[in-house]
Each structure stands twice: as C-alpha cells, then as structure tokens.
C-alpha cells in the first residue's frame, strides 16, 4: 500500500494535545525494509501499519532493529536513514546487533518463547524446556538487544526539541523502558502490547527472574496499552499476584517506584479511507476480475501469516468436515487461503507451514474432482491480492487460537462487496468489538466451526446484508484515528495533567 491515513486528519486528533512532547517510535521491525534489489518496501504486520500513521502525521523519528544483512548494511552507514516516497519522510535510526545475538533475541526468546506463552501455544506437558540454551539467549540476546535499543532511543531522544514521548511497541521490547527510564527519568514512556496478555498462572511457565524482569520493565512506562479490557485485567492481576503489588482496579493503575502507571485498552484498527481507496484502484480491480473468473458460487477466504496461533490447520479440518457432512456444498464452494510465510528461521514455524500444506493437499486429493479444487492454497505477500479476496468473500474465516486483535477481520468487514459473513474466533481481540455481528466460534471446536461455515454459507440475503452493514459501520466508526486519539487523550489527561514525582 502506498501510504496510510492522511496526516492532516491525524493532526486533527493530535493538535495541541501532543504539543508538550516530541514523540519517538521504537519497535523491533522497521516500517520499511530493503526488499529484492534493495528497494525499500513496507514491513509486514499490524504494528507497522498502525505506527506509520503516527510517524507520518507527527514527523516522529523511529528506532528499530537492523534484522537482515541488508538492514545491517544500511545501519553501517552510521546516521539515520531517510525513508522517502512520503509526504513527510521518516528518520529511521537502526540498532544493529550481531546476527547471532539477534537470533537469540528474536528466534529463541521473543519468538517462540514469549509469543508462544502469550498465545497459550505451549504443549506444557513437553515444552518449553528452559535450560542453559534459553538462559544464554535471554542474557546474551533478549536483555542485550533490549538495552541496545533503549540506549539508541535515549541518544535520539536527547536530540529532540521537546520533552521526549517514547512510544515503544510490543513484546520484543519489554525490557527497553526500564533502561530508558534509568537514563532519561523525565521522559514520558508509553508502550503498546499488540498481542494477548495471559493470566498470571500461565506467566508462571517462565522462571521468576524472566517474568519479573518483563513486568518491571513494563512498569517503567507511564501508560501500558493493550488491545482489550480482558488483557488489561490480566495484566493488573499479574502485577498483583506475581509481583505482590497493590493494584487499584477501579483506576486501573499501580504505583511503581513512586510513579503511577496506568493500564488501558486501545483496540487497534485500520486506516479506513486508505483501505477504501486502495480497494478501488485498477490494480485491485484486476485482481478481483482474476478471482471472479476462477471462483465457484461461494468463496470462503482466509488471509493470514503462517503462524501456529492463526489455527490454519483446524480451519481446513472444519472445512473438510463441512464437505463430508454436507455434500451439497461440494463443487459449489472453494476455500481460498492466501497465506504469508512467517518466521521461517524458527523450526516450529517451518513445521507448521509444512502441516498447513500437507493438510490442504490431502483434502484436495481426497475430495477434489477433475474440475473442482476444494482448497486453493496460495503463498505470497501481496496486499492488493489480499484486498481483492476481502472484496470477494462469502465467508471470511478468522479462527485464531488466540490473537491480540486480528486486523484481517476488520479489513475484510470494511471492504467486502458480497454481504459476506464473518466467522470469528471468540479468542481474537477483534471479538470484543465485532462479536455481536459475527458468527462466533470456539477455535478448537472443529465440528462447531464446520456448522458455522454451513450456516454462514446458507444465510439469507437480508440477514447477511444486515450483519455486513453493522460490521462495516463498527469498523468505520472505530478506525485507526480513534486508536491514536484515545492514547493521546490519555497521555494528556493521565500523564500531563497529573503531578508526578518525575516532573
Ligand atoms: O503484531 C504482532 C507482531 O509480532 C508485531 O510485533 C510484528 O510486527 C508482526 O506481528 C509480524 O511479526 P514479525 O515481525 O515477527 O514478522
């Protein structure tokens, strides 16, 4: 996608309120990364989508890890990299760690250890097996990369014209804020957690030293943002039970080292005008025409990274059950799965991708016919194709095991042109907002998912139209601008207006 929200509309949300501060964004993944031939292309994932909007609207610089050899080369030039092709360029400051340290940080601790924990993915009877390998990756990878990121952020923040507002993103950087706070006590720190926050029981999978460091790292912020109210509750109870702190549940706040730390829910969303505009471009229309040529009467769609949390295999098994139990759908429906291979340097992710392929191939072999392929499985990173699939679905299957938000559900609901039905896991953050107008499923219950697919495919036109309209309205009125403005409002009301020992 060329660009995100019109910065002028975002300035409306931030005007005046952000004035006391100079914002600085900090994340693991950079917003743009060198692709084939060295051309910069937009980084993957919801974090980048959302934060680009903030960076473009406020001119905030960005600190990110150099993750690949190409990024390390860019980082070696020393100074910040200006990301062009935008109305306001973004100054990107890379943090380069050697590749083995980065591997320990990213491929051993952040993913899978912390990611698996926060999505309840461990098969606890066997894994994780925390041993010297994990401790080394923790100390030499996660802790050191976090500190390097924090130190770079502080260097950049010291050059900013006003009081720094450091907006750190996600689970890769839990330890950065405490280091930033040590070096820059006057800064305002806010961190947004894009993934679910599990219960304190489940955090006890991690040894105390690790989980305490994560919690106290987060408590160095002034505000910690989560996707849902349930994540906020789980976080506060974790602080209470695991650290033994007294928590004010009514205020959703806790005192740490004499400072008030607030926990709040800000459900992330999408850039509505930009997505709508993209969906009407000739390139997308061409993709839609291609899809229309091949599609049977009904199309079930999913668009996902190949992450075990997305529950792709169970989705195929539910579809298989639908075809076996209700043969009237055979030949009339196709399941189009458009998937982006993800984190392929991690064994468990490679294995998962292999089982996604094997399951689809087996179902196609067992049930397919000469001129009908039950599952069309396609891999690639192509936003236009994803948008075309959103426009064309009759049913969108979003069945994650657990998911922070799931922006596919929102993008699909906004852009669909066929009054398609959203089949949505009760464990996706998006369910807190979209649940009333979706077909709710338990993601583990394959039979119930098959039934939900059947009911959705057969829903009457008035029902589909009503549900689709209500979903669309919900997304339109709860867009990315709202996500940002809620955070800005809280920074102003909770942090700026309140006397605190740090000011
Ligand atoms: O939204 C969760 C998240 O892990 C982001 O932090 C990240 O940018 C995105 O998903 C994609 O993950 P990765 O950067 O590991 O490919």
């Amino acid at each position: 996608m060329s660009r995100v929200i019109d910065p002028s509309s975002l300035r409306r949300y931030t005007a005046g309120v952000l004035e006391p501060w100079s914002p600085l964004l900090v994340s693991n993944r950079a917003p743009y990364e060198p692709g084939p031939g060295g051309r910069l292309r937009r980084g993957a994932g919801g974090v980048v989508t959302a934060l680009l909007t903030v960076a473009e609207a406020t001119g905030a610089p960005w600190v990110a890890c150099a993750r690949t050899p190409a990024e390390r080369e860019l980082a070696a030039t020393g100074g910040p990299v200006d990301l062009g092709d935008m109305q306001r360029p973004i100054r990107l400051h890379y943090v380069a760690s050697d590749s083995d340290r980065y591997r320990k940080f990213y491929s051993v601790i952040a993913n899978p250890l912390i990611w698996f924990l926060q999505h309840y993915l461990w098969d606890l009877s066997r894994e994780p097996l925390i041993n010297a390998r994990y401790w080394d990756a923790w100390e030499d990878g996660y802790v050191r990369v976090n500190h390097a990121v924090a130190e770079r952020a502080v260097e950049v923040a010291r050059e900013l014209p006003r009081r720094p507002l450091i907006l750190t993103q996600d689970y890769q950087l839990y330890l950065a804020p405490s280091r930033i706070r040590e070096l820059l006590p006057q800064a305002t720190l806010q961190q947004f957690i894009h993934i679910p926050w599990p219960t304190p029981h489940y955090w006890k999978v991690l040894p105390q030293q690790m989980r305490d460091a994560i919690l106290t790292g987060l408590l160095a912020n002034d505000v910690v943002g989560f996707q849902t109210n349930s994540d906020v509750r789980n976080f506060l109870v974790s602080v209470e039970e695991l650290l033994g702190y007294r928590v004010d549940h009514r205020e959703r706040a806790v005192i740490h080292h004499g400072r008030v730390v607030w926990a709040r829910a800000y459900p992330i969303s999408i850039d509505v005008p930009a997505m709508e505009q993209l969906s009407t471009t000739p390139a997308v229309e061409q993709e839609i025409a291609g899809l229309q040529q091949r599609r049977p009467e009904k199309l079930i769609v999913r668009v996902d990274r190949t992450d075990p949390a997305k529950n792709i295999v169970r989705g195929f098994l539910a579809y298989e059950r639908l075809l076996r139990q209700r043969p009237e759908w055979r030949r009339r429906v196709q399941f189009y799965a458009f998937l982006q291979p993800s984190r392929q340097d991690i064994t468990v992710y490679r294995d998962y991708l292999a089982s996604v392929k094997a399951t689809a191939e087996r179902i196609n072999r067992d049930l397919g016919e000469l001129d009908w392929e039950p599952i069309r499985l396609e891999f690639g990173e192509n936003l236009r194709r994803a948008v075309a699939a959103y426009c064309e679905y009759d049913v969108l299957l979003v069945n994650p095991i657990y998911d922070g938000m799931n922006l596919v559900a929102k993008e699909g609901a906004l852009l669909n042109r066929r009054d398609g039905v959203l089949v949505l896991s009760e464990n996706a953050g998006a369910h807190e907002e979209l649940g009333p107008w979706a077909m709710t499923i338990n993601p583990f219950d394959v039979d119930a998912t098959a039934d939900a697919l059947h009911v959705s495919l057969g829903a009457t036109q008035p029902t589909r139209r009503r549900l689709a309209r209500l979903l669309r309205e919900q997304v339109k009125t709860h867009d990315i601008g709202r996500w940002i403005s809620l955070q800005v409002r809280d920074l102003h009301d909770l942090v700026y207006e309140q006397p605190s020992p740090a000011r």
Side-chain angles (χ1 to χ4, degrees):
M1 192 160 72
S2 56
R3 46 154 299 98
V4 284
I5 206 169
D6 172 8
S8 60
S9 69
L10 186 68
R11 265 178 244 128
R12 220 178 42 232
Y13 296 111
T14 56
V17 186
L18 268 187
E19 232 141 63
W21 287 290
S22 289
L24 166 63
L25 295 161
V26 184
S27 66
N28 168 48
R29 198 182 259 274
Y32 285 82
E33 44 206 21
R39 265 194 59 218
L40 288 177
R41 61 173 188 202
R42 214 184 74 169
V47 175
V48 164
T49 310
L51 269 293
L52 259 178
T53 308
V54 181
E56 290 184 6
T58 59
W62 197 314
V63 172
C65 293
R67 303 173 322 113
T68 60
E71 286 184 310
R72 284 194 189 93
E73 246 175 62
L74 277 179
T77 57
V81 178
D82 274 333
L83 301 173
D85 197 24
M86 273 160 292
Q87 290 169 11
R88 292 178 73 167
I90 294 168
R91 307 219 86 187
L92 175 64
H93 301 259
Y94 276 120
V95 182
S97 317
D98 79 65
S99 56
D100 194 47
R101 171 160 301 145
Y102 188 80
R103 180 190 60 75
K104 292 173 184 176
F105 158 80
Y106 181 83
S107 304
V108 183
I109 301 296
N111 312 293
L113 185 66
I114 298 177
W115 176 276
F116 266 46
L117 182 115
Q118 291 199 237
H119 291 82
Y120 296 90
L121 290 175
W122 289 113
D123 170 2
L124 290 184
S125 61
R126 297 184 307 123
E127 293 174 309
L129 204 151
I130 298 194
N131 54 16
R133 173 176 165 267
Y134 274 111
W135 280 111
D136 171 60
W138 172 261
E139 295 294 347
D140 192 49
Y142 195 77
V143 174
R144 294 192 58 174
V145 171
N146 266 264
H147 285 181
V149 169
E151 283 153 22
R152 188 85 173 108
V154 167
E155 271 169 36
V156 178
R158 286 202 167 116
E159 300 297 314
L160 294 172
R162 293 185 295 270
R163 178 175 163 189
L165 164 61
I166 303 185
L167 302 164
T168 305
Q169 304 304 310
D170 234 348
Y171 63 97
Q172 299 95 341
L173 299 176
Y174 282 144
L175 310 187
S178 43
R179 183 81 184 123
I180 296 174
R181 179 69 71 199
E182 265 169 49
L183 300 171
L184 214 56
Q186 305 302 323
T188 302
L189 308 186
Q190 199 245 37
Q191 186 154 3
F192 189 78
I193 312 305
H194 294 254
I195 65 176
W197 191 273
T199 63
H201 280 109
Y202 205 66
W203 275 104
K204 284 195 168 174
V205 171
L206 287 190
Q208 183 172 2
Q209 185 187 327
M210 289 186 191
R211 62 180 197 246
D212 284 4
I214 287 173
L215 283 167
T216 51
L218 272 173
L219 290 175
N221 289 289
D222 296 288
V223 181
V224 187
F226 297 90
Q227 299 278 25
T228 67
N229 290 311
S230 142
D231 297 322
V232 170
R233 276 193 299 274
N234 281 347
F235 173 71
L236 292 172
V237 178
S238 302
V239 169
E240 198 166 47
E241 290 189 11
L242 300 175
L243 293 180
Y245 282 22
R246 269 185 55 195
V247 166
D248 186 332
H249 287 277
R250 212 169 51 87
E251 291 289 338
R252 289 169 294 155
V254 59
I255 294 185
H256 175 64
H257 291 170
R259 278 180 317 99
V260 184
V261 185
W262 311 88
R264 289 290 183 271
Y266 309 110
I268 201 167
S269 193
I270 58 171
D271 182 344
V272 167
M275 285 306 282
E276 285 178 331
Q277 196 191 332
L278 177 66
S279 72
T280 57
T281 55
V284 169
E285 292 297 348
Q286 205 179 332
E287 292 283 350
I288 293 176
L291 264 181
Q292 283 173 345
Q293 264 172 12
R294 283 186 303 253
R295 57 165 296 155
E297 180 195 337
K298 298 280 185 187
L299 198 63
I300 300 174
V301 162
R302 81 172 306 138
V303 177
D304 274 312
R305 285 188 304 108
T306 55
D307 194 299
K310 302 294 181 184
N311 207 20
I312 299 164
V313 171
R314 281 198 193 85
F316 287 158
L317 296 178
Y319 175 64
E320 177 184 19
R321 181 165 170 91
L322 168 83
L323 297 176
R324 289 191 189 279
Q325 297 286 108
R326 316 220 182 230
E328 67 270 24
W329 287 116
R330 293 190 191 186
R331 303 177 66 85
R332 290 175 60 199
V333 64
Q334 187 177 52
F335 191 148
Y336 176 37
F338 184 44
L339 306 177
Q340 294 82 55
S342 182
R343 303 177 183 163
Q344 290 301 292
D345 45 348
I346 303 173
T347 313
V348 64
Y349 278 80
R350 281 199 302 277
D351 292 349
Y352 190 69
L353 177 50
S355 64
V356 165
K357 274 188 189 160
T359 310
E361 280 163 12
R362 183 190 57 70
I363 294 171
N364 282 341
R365 222 177 20 249
D366 289 356
L367 298 176
E369 295 173 27
L370 213 53
D371 54 352
W372 174 63
E373 189 183 36
I375 299 176
R376 183 165 151 233
L377 181 59
E378 198 180 315
F379 294 100
E381 297 227 11
N382 181 340
L383 185 60
R384 292 185 185 90
R385 190 156 298 172
V387 166
Y390 294 149
C391 293
E392 273 297 296
Y393 70 76
D394 296 288
V395 174
L396 180 64
L397 180 60
V398 178
N399 66 327
I401 287 174
Y402 284 95
D403 213 342
M405 176 52 64
N406 197 296
L407 293 181
V408 166
K410 294 188 173 182
E411 289 171 343
L414 176 73
L415 300 180
N416 183 254
R417 297 179 186 175
R418 294 175 61 91
D419 293 329
V421 178
L422 172 63
V423 174
L424 183 59
S425 163
E426 61 183 337
N427 298 339
H431 194 268
E432 213 171 89
E433 286 176 273
L434 306 183
W437 310 289
M439 274 281 178
T440 297
I441 49 155
N442 174 288
F444 306 98
D445 190 339
V446 171
D447 293 0
T449 305
D451 289 345
L453 290 175
H454 170 68
V455 172
S456 304
L457 287 168
T460 62
Q461 178 62 25
T463 304
R464 293 197 341 243
R465 189 174 311 130
R466 187 179 63 82
L467 293 175
R469 179 174 52 79
L470 292 168
L471 277 173
R472 206 163 36 243
E473 274 169 20
Q474 173 70 17
V475 176
K476 282 192 170 189
T477 51
H478 294 72
D479 69 346
I480 187 80
R482 184 170 177 274
W483 180 69
I484 293 160
S485 67
L486 290 176
Q487 294 178 69
V488 168
R489 188 203 59 196
D490 278 355
L491 281 166
H492 186 265
D493 294 355
L494 302 175
V495 184
Y496 186 69
E497 295 285 333
Q498 305 273 331
S500 91
R503 293 182 35 231

